Coordinates of all heavy atoms in Angstrom, one line a residue:
M1 N -19.5 4.9 14.3 CA -18.3 4.0 14.5 C -17.7 4.3 15.9 O -17.6 5.4 16.3 CB -17.3 4.3 13.4 CG -16.1 3.4 13.5 SD -14.7 3.8 12.5 CE -15.3 4.1 10.9
Q2 N -17.3 3.2 16.5 CA -16.7 3.4 17.8 C -15.3 3.8 17.7 O -14.5 3.4 16.8 CB -16.7 2.0 18.6 CG -18.1 1.5 18.8 CD -18.1 0.2 19.5 OE1 -17.1 -0.5 19.6 NE2 -19.3 -0.3 19.9
K3 N -14.9 4.7 18.6 CA -13.5 5.2 18.6 C -12.5 4.2 19.2 O -12.9 3.4 20.0 CB -13.4 6.5 19.4 CG -14.2 7.7 18.8 CD -13.9 8.9 19.5 CE -14.6 10.0 18.8 NZ -14.3 11.3 19.3
D4 N -11.3 4.2 18.7 CA -10.2 3.4 19.2 C -10.4 1.9 18.9 O -9.9 1.1 19.6 CB -10.0 3.6 20.7 CG -9.6 5.1 21.0 OD1 -9.0 5.7 20.2 OD2 -10.0 5.5 22.1
K5 N -11.2 1.5 18.0 CA -11.4 0.1 17.6 C -10.6 -0.3 16.4 O -10.3 -1.5 16.2 CB -12.9 -0.2 17.4 CG -13.8 -0.1 18.6 CD -13.6 -1.3 19.4 CE -14.5 -1.3 20.6 NZ -14.3 -2.5 21.4
Q6 N -10.3 0.7 15.6 CA -9.6 0.4 14.3 C -8.1 0.4 14.6 O -7.6 1.3 15.2 CB -10.0 1.4 13.2 CG -11.5 1.3 12.9 CD -11.9 0.0 12.3 OE1 -11.1 -0.6 11.5 NE2 -13.0 -0.5 12.6
P7 N -7.3 -0.5 14.0 CA -5.9 -0.4 14.1 C -5.3 0.8 13.3 O -5.9 1.2 12.4 CB -5.4 -1.7 13.6 CG -6.4 -2.2 12.7 CD -7.7 -1.7 13.2
E8 N -4.1 1.2 13.7 CA -3.5 2.4 13.0 C -3.0 2.0 11.6 O -2.4 0.9 11.4 CB -2.3 2.8 13.8 CG -1.6 4.0 13.3 CD -0.4 4.4 14.0 OE1 -0.1 3.8 15.1 OE2 0.3 5.3 13.6
Y9 N -3.4 2.7 10.6 CA -3.0 2.5 9.2 C -1.9 3.4 8.9 O -2.0 4.7 8.9 CB -4.2 2.8 8.3 CG -4.1 2.4 6.9 CD1 -3.9 1.1 6.5 CD2 -4.0 3.4 5.9 CE1 -3.8 0.7 5.2 CE2 -3.9 3.0 4.6 CZ -3.8 1.7 4.2 OH -3.6 1.3 2.9
R10 N -0.7 2.9 8.7 CA 0.5 3.7 8.5 C 1.5 3.0 7.5 O 1.2 1.9 7.0 CB 1.2 3.8 9.8 CG 1.7 2.5 10.4 CD 2.3 2.6 11.8 NE 2.7 1.3 12.3 CZ 2.0 0.3 12.7 NH1 0.7 0.4 12.6 NH2 2.5 -0.8 13.2
A11 N 2.5 3.7 7.2 CA 3.5 3.2 6.2 C 4.4 2.1 6.9 O 4.8 2.3 8.1 CB 4.5 4.4 5.8
V12 N 4.5 1.0 6.2 CA 5.3 -0.2 6.8 C 6.1 -0.7 5.6 O 5.7 -0.7 4.5 CB 4.3 -1.2 7.3 CG1 5.0 -2.5 7.7 CG2 3.4 -0.7 8.4
V13 N 7.3 -1.2 6.0 CA 8.2 -1.9 5.0 C 8.0 -3.4 5.2 O 8.1 -3.9 6.3 CB 9.7 -1.5 5.2 CG1 10.5 -2.3 4.3 CG2 9.8 0.0 5.0
F14 N 7.7 -4.1 4.1 CA 7.7 -5.5 4.1 C 9.0 -6.0 3.4 O 9.3 -5.6 2.3 CB 6.5 -6.1 3.3 CG 5.2 -5.9 4.0 CD1 4.4 -4.8 3.9 CD2 4.8 -6.9 4.9 CE1 3.3 -4.6 4.6 CE2 3.6 -6.8 5.6 CZ 2.8 -5.7 5.5
R15 N 9.7 -6.9 4.1 CA 11.0 -7.4 3.6 C 11.0 -8.9 3.5 O 10.7 -9.6 4.4 CB 12.1 -7.0 4.6 CG 13.5 -7.4 4.3 CD 14.5 -6.9 5.2 NE 14.1 -7.1 6.6 CZ 14.8 -6.6 7.7 NH1 15.7 -5.8 7.5 NH2 14.4 -6.9 8.9
D16 N 11.4 -9.3 2.2 CA 11.5 -10.8 1.9 C 13.0 -11.1 2.2 O 13.8 -10.7 1.3 CB 11.1 -11.0 0.5 CG 11.2 -12.5 0.1 OD1 11.7 -13.3 0.9 OD2 10.7 -12.8 -1.0
R17 N 13.3 -11.8 3.2 CA 14.7 -12.0 3.6 C 15.3 -13.0 2.6 O 16.5 -12.9 2.4 CB 14.8 -12.5 5.0 CG 14.4 -11.5 6.0 CD 14.9 -11.9 7.4 NE 15.1 -10.7 8.2 CZ 16.3 -10.3 8.5 NH1 17.4 -10.9 8.2 NH2 16.4 -9.2 9.3
S18 N 14.6 -13.9 2.1 CA 15.2 -14.9 1.2 C 15.6 -14.3 -0.2 O 16.6 -14.8 -0.8 CB 14.3 -16.1 0.9 OG 13.1 -15.7 0.3
A19 N 15.0 -13.3 -0.6 CA 15.3 -12.6 -1.9 C 16.0 -11.3 -1.7 O 16.5 -10.8 -2.7 CB 14.0 -12.4 -2.7
G20 N 16.1 -10.8 -0.5 CA 16.8 -9.5 -0.3 C 16.0 -8.4 -0.9 O 16.5 -7.4 -1.4
F21 N 14.7 -8.5 -0.9 CA 13.8 -7.6 -1.5 C 12.9 -6.9 -0.4 O 12.4 -7.6 0.5 CB 12.9 -8.3 -2.5 CG 11.9 -7.5 -3.2 CD1 12.2 -6.5 -4.1 CD2 10.5 -7.7 -2.9 CE1 11.2 -5.7 -4.7 CE2 9.5 -6.9 -3.5 CZ 9.9 -5.9 -4.4
A22 N 12.7 -5.6 -0.5 CA 11.8 -4.9 0.4 C 11.0 -3.9 -0.3 O 11.4 -3.3 -1.4 CB 12.6 -4.3 1.5
F23 N 9.8 -3.6 0.2 CA 9.0 -2.6 -0.5 C 8.2 -1.9 0.6 O 7.8 -2.4 1.7 CB 8.0 -3.1 -1.5 CG 7.1 -4.2 -1.0 CD1 5.8 -3.9 -0.6 CD2 7.5 -5.5 -1.0 CE1 4.9 -4.9 -0.2 CE2 6.6 -6.5 -0.6 CZ 5.3 -6.2 -0.1
L24 N 7.9 -0.6 0.4 CA 7.2 0.3 1.3 C 5.8 0.4 0.9 O 5.5 0.7 -0.3 CB 7.9 1.7 1.3 CG 7.2 2.7 2.2 CD1 7.4 2.3 3.7 CD2 7.9 4.1 1.9
T25 N 4.9 0.2 1.8 CA 3.4 0.3 1.5 C 2.7 0.7 2.8 O 3.4 0.9 3.8 CB 2.9 -1.1 1.0 OG1 1.5 -0.9 0.6 CG2 2.9 -2.1 2.0
R26 N 1.4 0.9 2.7 CA 0.7 1.2 3.9 C -0.1 0.0 4.4 O -0.6 -0.8 3.6 CB -0.3 2.3 3.6 CG 0.5 3.6 3.2 CD -0.4 4.8 3.0 NE -1.4 5.1 4.1 CZ -1.0 5.8 5.2 NH1 0.2 6.3 5.3 NH2 -2.0 6.0 6.1
S27 N -0.1 -0.2 5.7 CA -0.7 -1.4 6.3 C -1.0 -1.2 7.8 O -0.6 -0.2 8.4 CB 0.3 -2.6 6.2 OG -0.2 -3.7 6.8
T28 N -1.8 -2.1 8.3 CA -2.1 -2.1 9.7 C -1.2 -3.1 10.5 O -1.3 -3.2 11.7 CB -3.6 -2.4 10.0 OG1 -3.8 -3.7 9.5 CG2 -4.5 -1.4 9.4
A29 N -0.3 -3.8 9.8 CA 0.6 -4.7 10.4 C 1.5 -4.1 11.4 O 1.9 -2.9 11.3 CB 1.5 -5.4 9.3
D30 N 1.7 -4.8 12.6 CA 2.4 -4.2 13.7 C 3.8 -4.9 13.8 O 3.9 -6.1 13.5 CB 1.7 -4.4 15.0 CG 2.2 -3.6 16.1 OD1 2.9 -2.6 15.8 OD2 2.0 -4.0 17.3
S31 N 4.8 -4.1 14.1 CA 6.2 -4.7 14.3 C 6.9 -3.9 15.3 O 6.8 -2.6 15.4 CB 6.9 -4.7 12.9 OG 8.2 -5.1 13.1
D32 N 7.8 -4.5 16.0 CA 8.7 -3.9 17.0 C 10.0 -3.4 16.4 O 10.6 -2.5 16.9 CB 9.0 -4.8 18.2 CG 7.7 -5.1 19.0 OD1 6.8 -4.3 19.0 OD2 7.7 -6.2 19.6
T33 N 10.4 -4.0 15.2 CA 11.6 -3.7 14.6 C 11.4 -2.6 13.6 O 10.3 -2.4 13.0 CB 12.3 -4.9 13.9 OG1 11.3 -5.4 12.9 CG2 12.6 -6.0 14.9
T34 N 12.4 -1.8 13.3 CA 12.3 -0.7 12.4 C 13.5 -0.7 11.4 O 14.5 -1.4 11.6 CB 12.3 0.7 13.1 OG1 13.6 0.8 13.8 CG2 11.2 0.9 14.0
I35 N 13.3 0.0 10.3 CA 14.4 0.1 9.3 C 14.4 1.5 8.8 O 13.4 2.2 8.7 CB 14.1 -0.9 8.2 CG1 15.3 -1.0 7.2 CG2 12.8 -0.6 7.4 CD1 15.2 -2.1 6.2
E36 N 15.6 2.0 8.4 CA 15.7 3.3 7.8 C 15.6 3.1 6.3 O 16.3 2.3 5.7 CB 17.0 4.0 8.1 CG 17.1 5.4 7.6 CD 18.3 6.1 8.0 OE1 18.8 5.8 9.1 OE2 18.8 7.0 7.3
W37 N 14.6 3.8 5.7 CA 14.3 3.6 4.3 C 15.1 4.6 3.4 O 15.8 5.5 4.0 CB 12.8 3.8 4.0 CG 12.3 3.3 2.7 CD1 11.7 4.1 1.8 CD2 12.3 2.0 2.3 NE1 11.4 3.3 0.7 CE2 11.7 2.0 1.0 CE3 12.7 0.8 2.8 CZ2 11.6 0.9 0.2 CZ3 12.6 -0.4 2.0 CH2 12.0 -0.3 0.7
D38 N 15.1 4.5 2.1 CA 15.8 5.4 1.2 C 15.5 6.8 1.4 O 16.4 7.7 1.1 CB 15.6 4.9 -0.2 CG 16.0 3.5 -0.5 OD1 16.8 3.0 0.2 OD2 15.4 2.9 -1.4
D39 N 14.3 7.2 1.8 CA 14.0 8.6 1.9 C 14.5 9.2 3.2 O 14.2 10.4 3.5 CB 12.5 8.8 1.8 CG 11.7 8.0 2.9 OD1 12.3 7.4 3.8 OD2 10.4 8.0 2.8
G40 N 15.2 8.4 4.1 CA 15.7 8.9 5.3 C 14.8 8.8 6.5 O 15.2 9.0 7.6
N41 N 13.6 8.3 6.3 CA 12.6 8.1 7.4 C 12.8 6.7 7.9 O 13.2 5.8 7.2 CB 11.2 8.3 6.9 CG 10.9 9.8 6.6 OD1 11.5 10.7 7.2 ND2 10.1 10.0 5.6
T42 N 12.4 6.5 9.2 CA 12.4 5.2 9.8 C 11.0 4.6 9.8 O 10.0 5.3 10.3 CB 12.9 5.3 11.3 OG1 14.2 5.9 11.2 CG2 13.0 3.9 11.9
Y43 N 10.8 3.4 9.4 CA 9.5 2.7 9.3 C 9.6 1.4 10.0 O 10.6 0.7 10.1 CB 9.1 2.5 7.9 CG 9.0 3.7 7.1 CD1 9.9 4.1 6.1 CD2 7.9 4.6 7.2 CE1 9.8 5.3 5.4 CE2 7.7 5.7 6.5 CZ 8.7 6.1 5.5 OH 8.6 7.2 4.8
P44 N 8.4 0.9 10.5 CA 8.4 -0.5 11.1 C 8.6 -1.5 9.9 O 8.2 -1.2 8.8 CB 7.0 -0.6 11.6 CG 6.3 0.7 11.5 CD 7.1 1.6 10.7
V45 N 9.3 -2.6 10.2 CA 9.5 -3.6 9.1 C 8.9 -4.9 9.5 O 9.0 -5.3 10.7 CB 11.1 -3.7 8.8 CG1 11.8 -4.2 10.1 CG2 11.3 -4.6 7.7
V46 N 8.3 -5.5 8.6 CA 7.7 -6.9 8.8 C 8.4 -7.8 7.8 O 8.4 -7.6 6.6 CB 6.1 -6.8 8.4 CG1 5.6 -8.2 8.6 CG2 5.4 -5.9 9.4
D47 N 9.0 -8.9 8.4 CA 9.7 -9.9 7.6 C 8.7 -10.9 7.1 O 7.9 -11.4 7.9 CB 10.8 -10.5 8.4 CG 12.0 -9.5 8.7 OD1 12.3 -8.8 7.8 OD2 12.5 -9.6 9.8
V48 N 8.8 -11.2 5.8 CA 7.9 -12.2 5.3 C 8.7 -13.4 4.7 O 9.9 -13.2 4.3 CB 7.0 -11.7 4.2 CG1 6.0 -10.7 4.8 CG2 7.7 -11.0 3.1
E49 N 8.2 -14.6 4.6 CA 8.9 -15.7 4.1 C 9.0 -15.7 2.6 O 9.9 -16.3 2.0 CB 8.3 -17.0 4.6 CG 8.4 -17.2 6.1 CD 7.8 -18.5 6.6 OE1 7.7 -19.4 5.8 OE2 7.5 -18.6 7.7
I50 N 7.9 -15.2 1.9 CA 7.9 -15.3 0.5 C 7.1 -14.1 -0.1 O 6.2 -13.6 0.6 CB 7.2 -16.6 0.1 CG1 7.4 -16.9 -1.4 CG2 5.7 -16.6 0.4 CD1 7.2 -18.3 -1.7
S51 N 7.6 -13.6 -1.2 CA 7.0 -12.5 -1.9 C 7.0 -12.7 -3.4 O 7.4 -13.8 -3.8 CB 7.7 -11.2 -1.5 OG 9.0 -11.1 -2.1
S52 N 6.6 -11.7 -4.1 CA 6.6 -11.9 -5.6 C 8.0 -12.1 -6.1 O 8.2 -12.6 -7.2 CB 6.0 -10.7 -6.3 OG 6.7 -9.5 -6.0
E53 N 9.1 -11.7 -5.4 CA 10.4 -11.8 -5.8 C 11.0 -13.2 -5.6 O 11.9 -13.6 -6.3 CB 11.3 -10.8 -5.1 CG 11.2 -9.4 -5.5 CD 11.6 -9.1 -6.9 OE1 12.7 -9.6 -7.3 OE2 10.8 -8.5 -7.7
S54 N 10.4 -14.0 -4.7 CA 10.9 -15.3 -4.4 C 9.9 -16.4 -4.7 O 10.2 -17.6 -4.6 CB 11.4 -15.4 -3.0 OG 10.3 -15.2 -2.1
H55 N 8.6 -16.1 -5.0 CA 7.6 -17.1 -5.3 C 7.8 -17.8 -6.6 O 8.1 -17.1 -7.6 CB 6.2 -16.5 -5.3 CG 5.1 -17.5 -5.2 ND1 4.7 -18.2 -6.3 CD2 4.4 -17.9 -4.1 CE1 3.7 -19.0 -5.9 NE2 3.5 -18.8 -4.6
P56 N 7.8 -19.1 -6.7 CA 8.1 -19.8 -7.9 C 7.2 -19.4 -9.1 O 7.7 -19.4 -10.3 CB 8.0 -21.3 -7.6 CG 8.1 -21.3 -6.1 CD 7.7 -20.0 -5.6
F57 N 6.0 -19.1 -8.8 CA 5.1 -18.7 -9.9 C 5.5 -17.5 -10.6 O 5.5 -17.3 -11.8 CB 3.6 -18.6 -9.4 CG 2.6 -18.2 -10.5 CD1 2.2 -19.1 -11.4 CD2 2.2 -16.9 -10.6 CE1 1.3 -18.8 -12.3 CE2 1.3 -16.5 -11.5 CZ 0.8 -17.4 -12.4
Y58 N 5.9 -16.5 -9.8 CA 6.3 -15.2 -10.4 C 7.7 -15.1 -10.9 O 8.0 -14.3 -11.8 CB 6.1 -14.1 -9.3 CG 4.7 -13.9 -8.9 CD1 4.2 -14.3 -7.6 CD2 3.7 -13.3 -9.8 CE1 2.9 -14.2 -7.3 CE2 2.4 -13.2 -9.4 CZ 2.0 -13.6 -8.1 OH 0.7 -13.4 -7.8
T59 N 8.5 -16.0 -10.4 CA 9.9 -16.0 -10.9 C 10.1 -16.9 -12.1 O 11.2 -16.9 -12.7 CB 10.9 -16.5 -9.8 OG1 10.5 -17.8 -9.4 CG2 10.9 -15.6 -8.6
G60 N 9.1 -17.7 -12.5 CA 9.2 -18.6 -13.6 C 9.9 -19.9 -13.3 O 10.2 -20.6 -14.2
K61 N 10.1 -20.2 -12.1 CA 10.7 -21.4 -11.7 C 9.7 -22.5 -11.2 O 10.1 -23.4 -10.5 CB 11.8 -21.2 -10.6 CG 12.9 -20.3 -11.1 CD 13.9 -20.0 -10.0 CE 14.9 -19.0 -10.5 NZ 15.8 -18.6 -9.4
A62 N 8.5 -22.3 -11.5 CA 7.4 -23.2 -11.0 C 7.5 -24.5 -11.7 O 7.9 -24.6 -12.9 CB 6.0 -22.6 -11.3
R63 N 7.3 -25.6 -11.0 CA 7.3 -26.9 -11.6 C 6.0 -27.2 -12.3 O 4.9 -26.7 -11.9 CB 7.4 -28.0 -10.5 CG 8.7 -27.9 -9.8 CD 8.9 -29.0 -8.8 NE 7.7 -29.1 -8.0 CZ 7.3 -30.2 -7.3 NH1 8.1 -31.3 -7.4 NH2 6.2 -30.3 -6.6
T64 N 6.0 -27.8 -13.4 CA 4.8 -28.2 -14.2 C 4.5 -29.7 -13.9 O 5.4 -30.5 -13.9 CB 5.0 -27.9 -15.7 OG1 6.1 -28.6 -16.1 CG2 5.2 -26.4 -15.9
V65 N 3.3 -30.0 -13.8 CA 2.8 -31.3 -13.6 C 2.7 -32.0 -14.9 O 2.0 -31.4 -15.8 CB 1.5 -31.4 -12.8 CG1 1.0 -32.8 -12.6 CG2 1.7 -30.7 -11.4
D66 N 3.2 -33.2 -15.1 CA 3.1 -33.9 -16.4 C 1.8 -34.7 -16.3 O 1.7 -35.8 -16.0 CB 4.3 -34.9 -16.5 CG 4.2 -35.6 -17.8 OD1 3.5 -35.2 -18.7 OD2 4.9 -36.7 -17.9
S67 N 0.7 -34.0 -16.7 CA -0.6 -34.6 -16.6 C -0.8 -35.7 -17.7 O -1.5 -36.7 -17.4 CB -1.7 -33.6 -16.8 OG -1.6 -32.9 -18.0
E68 N -0.2 -35.6 -18.8 CA -0.3 -36.6 -19.8 C 0.4 -37.9 -19.3 O -0.2 -39.0 -19.5 CB 0.4 -36.2 -21.1 CG 0.2 -37.2 -22.3 CD 0.9 -36.8 -23.5 OE1 1.6 -35.8 -23.5 OE2 0.6 -37.4 -24.6
G69 N 1.5 -37.8 -18.7 CA 2.1 -39.0 -18.2 C 1.3 -39.7 -17.1 O 1.3 -40.9 -17.0
R70 N 0.6 -38.9 -16.3 CA -0.2 -39.5 -15.3 C -1.4 -40.2 -15.9 O -1.8 -41.3 -15.4 CB -0.7 -38.4 -14.4 CG 0.4 -37.7 -13.6 CD 0.0 -36.5 -12.8 NE -0.9 -36.9 -11.7 CZ -1.6 -36.0 -11.0 NH1 -1.5 -34.8 -11.3 NH2 -2.4 -36.5 -10.0
I71 N -2.0 -39.7 -17.0 CA -3.1 -40.4 -17.6 C -2.6 -41.7 -18.2 O -3.3 -42.7 -18.1 CB -3.7 -39.5 -18.7 CG1 -4.4 -38.3 -18.0 CG2 -4.7 -40.2 -19.5 CD1 -4.8 -37.2 -18.9
V72 N -1.5 -41.7 -18.9 CA -1.0 -42.9 -19.5 C -0.7 -43.9 -18.4 O -1.0 -45.1 -18.6 CB 0.3 -42.6 -20.3 CG1 1.0 -43.8 -20.7 CG2 0.0 -41.7 -21.5
K73 N -0.1 -43.5 -17.3 CA 0.1 -44.4 -16.2 C -1.2 -45.0 -15.7 O -1.2 -46.2 -15.4 CB 0.9 -43.7 -15.1 CG 1.3 -44.6 -13.9 CD 2.0 -43.7 -12.9 CE 2.3 -44.6 -11.7 NZ 3.0 -43.8 -10.6
F74 N -2.2 -44.2 -15.6 CA -3.5 -44.7 -15.1 C -4.1 -45.7 -16.1 O -4.6 -46.8 -15.7 CB -4.5 -43.5 -14.9 CG -5.9 -43.9 -14.5 CD1 -6.1 -44.1 -13.2 CD2 -6.9 -44.1 -15.4 CE1 -7.4 -44.5 -12.8 CE2 -8.1 -44.5 -15.1 CZ -8.4 -44.7 -13.7
E75 N -4.0 -45.4 -17.4 CA -4.6 -46.4 -18.4 C -3.8 -47.7 -18.4 O -4.3 -48.7 -18.6 CB -4.6 -45.7 -19.8 CG -5.6 -44.6 -19.9 CD -5.6 -43.9 -21.2 OE1 -4.6 -44.1 -22.0 OE2 -6.5 -43.1 -21.5
R76 N -2.5 -47.6 -18.2 CA -1.7 -48.8 -18.2 C -2.0 -49.7 -17.0 O -2.1 -50.9 -17.0 CB -0.2 -48.4 -18.1 CG 0.7 -49.1 -19.0 CD 2.2 -48.8 -18.9 NE 2.6 -48.0 -17.8 CZ 3.2 -46.8 -17.8 NH1 3.3 -46.2 -19.0 NH2 3.5 -46.2 -16.8
K77 N -2.3 -49.0 -15.8 CA -2.6 -49.8 -14.6 C -4.0 -50.4 -14.6 O -4.2 -51.5 -14.2 CB -2.5 -48.8 -13.4 CG -2.6 -49.5 -12.1 CD -2.2 -48.5 -11.0 CE -2.3 -49.2 -9.6 NZ -2.0 -48.3 -8.5
Y78 N -5.0 -49.6 -15.1 CA -6.4 -50.0 -15.1 C -7.0 -50.4 -16.4 O -8.1 -50.8 -16.5 CB -7.2 -49.0 -14.4 CG -6.8 -48.7 -12.9 CD1 -6.1 -47.6 -12.6 CD2 -7.1 -49.7 -12.0 CE1 -5.7 -47.4 -11.3 CE2 -6.7 -49.4 -10.6 CZ -6.0 -48.3 -10.3 OH -5.6 -48.1 -9.0
G79 N -6.2 -50.2 -17.5 CA -6.7 -50.5 -18.8 C -7.5 -49.3 -19.3 O -8.0 -48.5 -18.6
E80 N -7.7 -49.3 -20.6 CA -8.5 -48.3 -21.3 C -10.0 -48.4 -20.9 O -10.4 -49.5 -20.6 CB -8.3 -48.3 -22.8 CG -6.9 -47.9 -23.1 CD -6.7 -47.5 -24.6 OE1 -7.7 -47.0 -25.1 OE2 -5.7 -47.7 -25.1
G81 N -10.7 -47.3 -21.0 CA -12.1 -47.3 -20.6 C -12.9 -48.2 -21.5 O -12.7 -48.2 -22.7
K82 N -13.8 -49.0 -21.0 CA -14.6 -49.9 -21.8 C -16.0 -49.2 -21.9 O -16.6 -48.8 -21.0 CB -14.7 -51.2 -21.1 CG -13.3 -51.9 -21.0 CD -13.4 -53.1 -20.2 CE -12.0 -53.7 -20.1 NZ -11.9 -54.7 -19.1
E83 N -16.5 -49.2 -23.1 CA -17.8 -48.6 -23.4 C -18.8 -49.6 -23.8 O -18.6 -50.6 -24.3 CB -17.6 -47.5 -24.4 CG -16.8 -46.4 -23.9 CD -16.7 -45.3 -24.9 OE1 -17.6 -45.0 -25.7 OE2 -15.7 -44.6 -25.0

């Protein structure tokens, strides 16, 4: 393996600004901004637009598609299938 080709793998904080949620993990993501974490150490912070705390699927606020209504609308417009 060639030296100095791999990015540095270190502790990084990912912060979801819309939900006010942050978590500490290890990553190769790079950031110029830092944050002081609960353990008293300073870590680079990466701001993300969406995480499991704000994603509609995980929060239970996802919209459901009314597939039955779409089928009825299609049959009304084009008639029932002829066999």
Side-chain angles (χ1 to χ4, degrees):
M1 181 189 313
Q2 296 178 352
K3 292 186 177 191
D4 301 327
K5 289 286 183 177
Q6 299 296 322
E8 182 184 355
Y9 188 66
R10 63 187 180 286
V12 177
V13 173
F14 284 90
R15 177 174 53 190
D16 182 351
R17 292 193 154 252
S18 63
F21 175 71
F23 59 95
L24 178 66
T25 188
R26 296 184 53 84
S27 176
T28 59
D30 193 22
S31 177
D32 295 331
T33 58
T34 59
I35 189 173
E36 186 173 331
W37 196 244
D38 300 334
D39 61 5
N41 294 328
T42 302
Y43 299 104
V45 63
V46 177
D47 290 321
V48 294
E49 293 181 24
I50 196 161
S51 71
S52 61
E53 288 293 312
S54 61
H55 193 282
F57 179 78
Y58 295 108
T59 60
K61 298 178 183 174
R63 296 184 311 159
T64 57
V65 177
D66 181 19
S67 60
E68 183 180 12
R70 294 172 69 191
I71 293 170
V72 170
K73 183 178 176 183
F74 178 84
E75 288 176 349
R76 227 184 9 247
K77 186 171 183 179
Y78 297 106
E80 293 198 28
K82 298 174 184 163
E83 295 184 29

